[in-house]
Amino acid sequence: MRSFLLPVLSFTLGLAACAIADPTLSPWQLHEQRSHVPAGWTRTRKLDSSVSVPLRFALSQSNMENLEALLYEVSLPASSNYGKHWSPSQIAAKFAPSAESIETVRSWLIGSGVEPHRIKLSPTKGWLEVASTVEEAESLLLADYHVYDHESGTKHIACDSYHLPEHVIPHVDFVTPTIHFDAKIPRKRENQYTRVPIGQPGQGSTPKTSGQIGTIFDQLEDCDQQITPICLRALYGLWYQPVAGKTNSYGIVEYTPQSYLQSDLDLFAKNFSTGLEGVSPTLVSIDGGVIEGSDPSFDYNGESDLDLEYAMTLVTKGQDITLYQVGDSVEGGSFNTFLDALDGTYCKYDGGDDPTQDPVYPDTASGGYTGNEECGTVKPANVISTSYGYNEADLSPAYAIRQCNEYAKLGLMGVTFLFSSGDTGVAGNGDYCLNSDGSQSADGKIFNPGFPASCPYVTAVGATQVSPGQSVWEPENACEQVIYSGGGFSNYFSMPLYQKAAVEGYLAAEPISYPKDIYNSTGVRRPFLQSRAYPDLAANGANYVIAVDGNFSLVYGTSAASPVVGSILTMVNDARISRGQPPLGFINPAIYSADFIGGFKDVTNGTNPGCGTLGFNTTKGWDPVTGLGNPYFPSLLSKWLSL
């Protein structure tokens, strides 16, 4: 299928000839291009040539070609370096852009007429920044800048494509501002426009509800109607008393304005969690993250209440839950905002400070966070669960790839990242599917994968269910109540080696009858390799009983499944740490290996519909609906303790 990031192509012979005449330049090539203007935006006018444009060149990092192999060294059970995670300083030293990259881009800029004093290298040597005008930027990039208006009133500057000299391309990941349109879009709230962050009601894969319930069933025989903690303990064998205490850590990420209500946590604890009434998660505020509670409604409290009520209940007895609350109530947050706080090197050279895509702090708006952006100030938990996601197509490939690489670096440091796989089957958020030109619409026909679930360096969690009339002692089915488990094949990322055998086994056992142009079976960036497939595993995602806004409701979503898996892995970490073993870190190479056969309860019934199709089938072994299946704690504990 065609991506809206076109392959790097030669420009025109005329331009090439002009470039060859100048010894400081080489032929330009197309670096990035969009094939359409995103929905809601309209190109209104040419940008005045005298307007200032702060160009920022994201320099290619060193040793990125070795990133996957380095991560495998500490993640594969058979490796002699299994569990020998890296320190942040080791990460920074290994992947900093090379002196050659800095000098190549700098020399080209100077040779193109940019005075040296206008070129600034960021402190981490990841960005070269140029104080430029539109006229100069268009000349440097062979681009045309326009003003785009959003239907909400926001204005944005962008170009449809841009070019770089051939010899510069290997040293630059991407340039801003250029083609990127994932700028924050205003919403109307209390008569003021604020930017839309991930976590905004109606955005992403937040949980769905079938409404309030008057009676709670908390017996194992009722788990086909209502899921409560006792159901999950029975389904996944999670009967364990923690012993490592505060040396272990589990983090839940929420994005303002999503916020829990303490009264809801207490109501849930009163019914299901002895000893947790009045207990709050440990708050880590990132860039002004606050527990608002000013908009009591499912849209604002459903996600946080769900995540925390189940995480706190399943990981009890001295195990703190860390709540990473990201973004202030004006700007909100993004995945990059959170990653900035975990890794100081990411703030400067991996897109975290890109003002066209991520919030900028200090926030000068009324009520905004006036402190400096959090940059490497937050210690990551051993396991981090996130219940939010984009459609892959919402982001440019370069932006998504740089972020994905950061998850790999944090995996090298021993962090386990879990992301929900989405709730609309093979379709994207909002049931949007792709069109042949790369745009998204409700009547699109091409499967629309999710991100970060499609990143090969995170663990994507799909959803299953105890179907009506079945018991917790029977195999679960793919979730087909209210939501469908997100899954499929990435359009941006090639298949990682750890899942090659499992996915090829699926494709052999379940030949896919859909035309190749509606799902990506071969990969875009590496056309001779197959694509990253997801999810990696699954857990129950239907009929959860949660306390929200003072009442009990039933909710559904992979956003329920991810924190449950996180709870299970946190208990495995507890046992390992108590024995002097390191935390799990990146788990995918282990769980796909032969060492972990029998660690999951297979799911072989159900599909994940979307885009006018039934989606994919479940089958014995891995499948793009439920991954490897449901985790079984006793087996996983035994296997990981043996490593």
Side-chain angles (χ1 to χ4, degrees):
M1 116 177 213
R2 188 172 127 193
S3 167
F4 58 74
L5 179 68
L6 299 180
V8 175
L9 302 171
S10 296
F11 195 45
T12 65
L13 292 176
L15 285 171
C18 292
I20 293 171
D22 187 334
T24 65
L25 301 178
S26 59
W28 271 271
Q29 292 183 343
L30 182 65
H31 198 53
E32 284 191 284
Q33 175 173 317
R34 276 192 178 273
S35 60
H36 68 284
V37 176
W41 292 94
T42 302
R43 188 165 75 181
T44 57
R45 60 183 171 83
K46 186 77 172 62
L47 190 59
D48 187 270
S49 62
S50 63
V51 171
S52 297
V53 176
L55 285 181
R56 305 173 77 244
F57 296 83
L59 300 173
S60 299
Q61 300 167 61
S62 300
N63 298 304
M64 294 308 295
E65 69 279 8
N66 301 319
L67 178 60
E68 189 170 68
L70 293 170
L71 182 58
Y72 284 1
E73 279 189 18
V74 300
S75 307
L76 278 170
S79 171
S80 60
N81 288 321
Y82 179 79
K84 296 179 181 179
H85 301 124
W86 293 28
S87 68
S89 59
Q90 288 175 304
I91 294 288
K94 189 70 172 180
F95 298 105
S98 67
E100 179 187 2
S101 290
I102 296 170
E103 183 56 32
T104 297
V105 180
R106 180 181 172 83
S107 295
W108 162 62
L109 290 170
I110 292 173
S112 300
V114 179
E115 295 89 350
H117 71 270
R118 289 196 287 127
I119 306 171
K120 294 183 179 180
L121 180 65
S122 67
T124 58
K125 302 181 180 180
W127 290 97
L128 275 176
E129 303 173 358
V130 177
S132 177
T133 63
V134 169
E135 181 179 18
E136 184 177 45
E138 291 182 334
S139 175
L140 287 170
L141 303 178
L142 300 182
D144 289 312
Y145 279 92
H146 290 80
V147 177
Y148 293 79
D149 287 349
H150 190 262
E151 57 194 17
S152 63
T154 291
K155 294 185 182 297
H156 181 65
I157 65 169
C159 55
D160 292 332
S161 64
Y162 67 98
H163 305 73
L164 292 172
E166 185 178 54
H167 75 286
V168 172
I169 282 178
H171 302 282
V172 174
D173 278 349
F174 60 93
V175 183
T176 66
T178 51
I179 69 166
H180 309 286
F181 266 90
D182 51 345
K184 302 300 177 289
I185 302 168
R187 65 184 177 93
K188 190 75 171 177
R189 183 181 177 193
E190 297 178 353
N191 299 319
Q192 294 294 324
Y193 279 113
T194 59
R195 292 183 178 184
V196 173
I198 193 164
Q200 174 61 33
Q203 299 285 115
S205 54
T206 50
K208 285 72 181 171
T209 180
S210 59
Q212 295 181 8
I213 54 175
T215 304
I216 297 174
F217 305 131
D218 193 25
Q219 301 298 319
L220 289 179
E221 58 265 28
D222 300 315
C223 295
D224 62 328
Q225 301 176 65
Q226 296 180 5
I227 290 292
T228 60
I230 192 174
C231 299
L232 297 171
R233 293 191 186 282
L235 284 168
Y236 308 129
L238 189 56
W239 306 102
Y240 175 82
Q241 295 297 318
V243 293
K246 296 184 182 298
T247 57
N248 193 19
S249 55
Y250 180 23
I252 299 291
V253 188
E254 305 292 350
Y255 291 88
T256 308
Q258 298 294 320
S259 179
Y260 75 89
L261 297 178
Q262 184 63 46
S263 57
D264 289 339
L265 301 191
D266 292 343
L267 178 59
F268 189 86
K270 182 179 179 180
N271 286 266
F272 303 111
S273 315
T274 303
L276 287 182
E277 285 188 68
V279 176
S280 305
T282 299
L283 174 65
V284 175
S285 173
I286 295 174
D287 294 339
V290 293
I291 307 303
E292 285 191 321
S294 59
D295 290 292
S297 70
F298 184 86
D299 283 345
Y300 286 95
N301 307 126
E303 183 66 80
S304 294
D305 281 347
L306 165 64
D307 293 345
L308 294 171
E309 286 167 6
Y310 278 85
M312 293 174 67
T313 299
L314 295 174
V315 249
T316 55
K317 306 296 182 183
Q319 294 284 304
D320 284 341
I321 301 296
T322 298
L323 168 61
Y324 297 111
Q325 188 70 36
V326 184
D328 68 14
S329 58
V330 179
E331 290 281 339
S334 70
F335 292 149
N336 279 346
T337 311
F338 177 55
L339 293 173
D340 289 342
L342 299 186
D343 181 3
T345 66
Y346 190 70
C347 302
K348 303 300 181 185
Y349 63 76
D350 275 2
D353 293 334
D354 184 350
T356 70
Q357 306 190 40
D358 302 301
V360 177
Y361 294 104
D363 180 1
T364 58
S366 176
Y369 170 66
T370 58
N372 291 325
E373 177 189 56
E374 302 285 353
C375 183
T377 57
V378 173
K379 181 180 179 180
N382 295 330
V383 176
I384 297 175
S385 174
T386 302
S387 295
Y388 303 86
Y390 292 104
N391 297 336
E392 228 181 30
D394 293 340
L395 308 169
S396 77
Y399 185 85
I401 289 166
R402 277 181 83 87
Q403 189 176 105
C404 182
N405 288 339
E406 179 63 15
Y407 294 119
K409 293 176 189 174
L410 288 163
L412 269 171
M413 287 191 273
V415 182
T416 304
F417 272 98
L418 304 173
F419 280 91
S420 54
S421 70
D423 297 340
T424 48
V426 296
N429 294 332
D431 276 321
Y432 273 35
C433 297
L434 294 170
N435 300 301
S436 58
D437 64 357
S439 62
Q440 304 176 67
S441 67
D443 58 357
K445 303 300 182 184
I446 300 171
F447 296 175
N448 195 4
F451 179 82
S454 65
C455 169
Y457 306 131
V458 306
T459 301
V461 183
T464 56
Q465 68 179 50
V466 178
S467 295
Q470 293 187 320
S471 77
V472 294
W473 314 118
E474 298 176 80
E476 291 183 73
N477 302 314
C479 194
E480 296 178 331
Q481 283 184 279
V482 180
I483 64 113
Y484 299 104
S485 181
F489 297 85
S490 171
N491 291 326
Y492 291 174
F493 300 102
S494 297
M495 182 184 295
L497 291 176
Y498 61 74
Q499 69 172 185
K500 182 175 175 62
V503 177
E504 289 183 346
Y506 171 82
L507 294 172
E510 295 283 335
I512 298 172
S513 60
Y514 303 127
K516 294 293 179 67
D517 60 353
I518 74 164
Y519 80 100
N520 191 1
S521 62
T522 58
V524 169
R525 293 184 61 80
R526 303 177 189 176
F528 301 108
L529 297 177
Q530 293 173 321
S531 299
R532 152 68 161 157
Y534 73 100
D536 301 299
L537 47 81
N540 194 285
N543 294 308
Y544 276 60
V545 175
I546 72 165
V548 58
D549 304 321
N551 297 287
F552 286 101
S553 296
L554 288 186
V555 301
Y556 308 76
T558 53
S559 56
S562 183
V564 168
V565 172
S567 300
I568 292 170
L569 298 180
T570 297
M571 294 295 88
V572 174
N573 270 338
D574 178 90
R576 283 178 57 85
I577 291 169
S578 70
R579 296 189 179 198
Q581 296 174 305
L584 297 173
F586 181 49
I587 68 169
N588 290 14
I591 64 177
Y592 279 92
S593 72
D595 301 83
F596 278 71
I597 293 175
F600 296 88
K601 300 166 72 173
D602 207 359
V603 180
T604 59
N605 187 40
T607 62
N608 59 348
C611 304
T613 74
L614 289 177
F616 297 106
N617 296 320
T618 54
T619 191
K620 184 178 180 180
W622 181 90
D623 57 68
V625 185
T626 62
L628 296 166
N630 298 133
Y632 189 57
F633 177 73
S635 295
L636 292 176
L637 179 64
S638 174
K639 293 175 184 298
W640 262 307
L641 286 181
S642 69
L643 298 182

